[in-house]
């Protein structure tokens, strides 16, 4: 099976702009989670989608949003970018919609905000 | 809120040495615990997943143990190799859906 793919891999944006990141899970996986990784805060949970519904949400401002399509692909959007949004954004897919199952991560999207 | 801590933050060992990485968590009501490795600038690679009802899991030279009552997990790496150099992260799975709380990571360097 193909692994989790994320596009684009690298992105440079200016403060105030918005950005959309994409994640394609492993075939058959219905849950997609998004994480932000920064040197100072480590890996922090953004949100999780299952069957096109947001099931869990971390402690991030409303500028961070996401959605999931019927084929389980997910997008994450960040509006009004701030310098502090520069980070590696990782998505993870898992097989089950029940409780926490083994997660498989994509290579990440490196976002730089200038 | 679940807090996950990993000690030490960095570790440097000579090739061939056996080593132990530690992970502690504050809330014992976990569903499972997963160990990952991350190479610089890359995503996470799953190493081992331990369900809350299990005490340990093994894969090749890796052995992970879980003690829920004391809020601790260890990752044992036998006969370390330079290719094991990476950052190792533990993540605690909750009972409220697919949300993992990550530790701060241990940066491991194996010296040839």
């Amino acid at each position: 099976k193909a692994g989790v793919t994320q596009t684009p891999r690298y992105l440079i944006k200016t403060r105030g702009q918005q950005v959309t990141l994409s994640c394609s899970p492993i075939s058959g996986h219905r849950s997609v989670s998004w994480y932000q990784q920064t040197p100072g805060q480590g890996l922090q949970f953004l949100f999780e989608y299952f069957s096109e519904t947001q099931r869990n949400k971390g402690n991030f401002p409303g500028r961070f949003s996401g959605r999931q399509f019927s084929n389980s692909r997910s997008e994450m959007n960040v509006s009004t970018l701030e310098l502090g949004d520069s980070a590696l954004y990782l998505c993870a897919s898992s097989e089950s919609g029940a409780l926490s199952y083994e997660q498989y991560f994509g290579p990440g999207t490196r976002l730089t905000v200038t | 809120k679940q807090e996950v801590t990993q000690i030490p933050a960095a570790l440097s060992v000579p090739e061939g040495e056996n080593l132990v990485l530690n992970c502690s968590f504050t809330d014992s009501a976990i569903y499972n615990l997963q160990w990952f490795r991350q190479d610089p600038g890359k995503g996470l690679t799953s190493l081992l997943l331990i369900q809350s009802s299990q005490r340990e899991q093994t894969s090749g030279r890796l052995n992970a143990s879980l003690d829920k009552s004391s809020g601790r997990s260890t990752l044992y790496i036998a006969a370390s190799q330079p290719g094991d150099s990476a950052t190792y992260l533990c993540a605690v799975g909750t009972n409220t859906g697919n949300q993992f709380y990550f530790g701060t990571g241990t940066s491991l360097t194996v010296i040839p």
Side-chain angles (χ1 to χ4, degrees):
Chain A
K1 281 186 182 177
V4 179
T5 58
Q6 291 186 246
T7 57
R9 293 292 312 279
Y10 302 91
L11 209 48
I12 300 175
K13 290 286 188 179
T14 304
R15 269 183 305 175
Q17 288 186 314
Q18 76 164 24
V19 67
T20 298
L21 312 181
S22 180
C23 172
S24 292
I26 291 172
S27 178
H29 286 193
R30 295 164 64 193
S31 170
V32 174
S33 299
W34 288 90
Y35 292 83
Q36 181 195 64
Q37 186 176 31
T38 59
Q41 298 296 320
L43 266 152
Q44 293 186 288
F45 174 79
L46 281 155
F47 30 66
E48 182 230 356
Y49 285 86
F50 174 72
S51 291
E52 302 178 63
T53 301
Q54 186 182 88
R55 186 167 59 171
N56 283 292
K57 189 177 190 308
N59 190 27
F60 277 80
R63 300 185 297 106
F64 292 82
S65 63
R67 59 178 175 168
Q68 186 180 35
F69 302 95
S70 58
N71 61 359
S72 293
R73 188 177 70 86
S74 178
E75 288 182 348
M76 189 192 93
N77 185 76
V78 187
S79 62
T80 319
L81 284 166
E82 301 177 359
L83 294 178
D85 297 333
S86 294
L88 181 66
Y89 289 88
L90 295 161
C91 83
S93 77
S94 67
E95 193 171 331
S96 172
L99 301 177
S100 303
Y101 269 65
E102 185 166 9
Q103 297 201 76
Y104 297 86
F105 280 79
T109 293
R110 172 75 63 185
L111 171 65
T112 302
V113 182
T114 61
Chain B
K1 182 193 165 187
Q2 180 75 266
E3 301 283 344
V4 183
T5 305
Q6 291 185 246
I7 294 173
L11 185 62
S12 184
V13 300
E15 182 177 0
E17 193 163 294
N18 302 326
L19 58 102
V20 174
L21 307 180
N22 298 292
C23 172
S24 62
F25 45 93
T26 54
D27 186 350
S28 62
I30 70 170
Y31 187 70
N32 54 27
L33 186 145
Q34 193 166 355
W35 282 93
F36 296 89
R37 69 171 279 169
Q38 184 175 31
D39 293 285
K42 303 288 180 63
L44 278 63
T45 300
S46 177
L47 297 173
L48 289 163
L49 172 72
I50 311 178
Q51 301 295 343
S52 61
S53 58
Q54 297 175 313
R55 296 282 295 181
E56 64 180 302
Q57 278 284 358
T58 298
S59 176
R61 295 184 293 109
L62 305 179
N63 175 277
S65 67
L66 175 63
D67 184 343
K68 269 183 52 177
S69 60
S70 66
R72 287 165 44 177
S73 175
T74 61
L75 178 67
Y76 175 83
I77 302 177
S80 59
Q81 303 171 357
D84 295 332
S85 297
T87 296
Y88 289 79
L89 294 149
C90 70
V92 173
T94 67
N95 291 325
T96 56
N98 268 332
Q99 177 173 349
F100 281 82
Y101 291 92
F102 278 83
T104 45
T106 294
S107 177
L108 172 66
T109 301
V110 180
I111 303 165

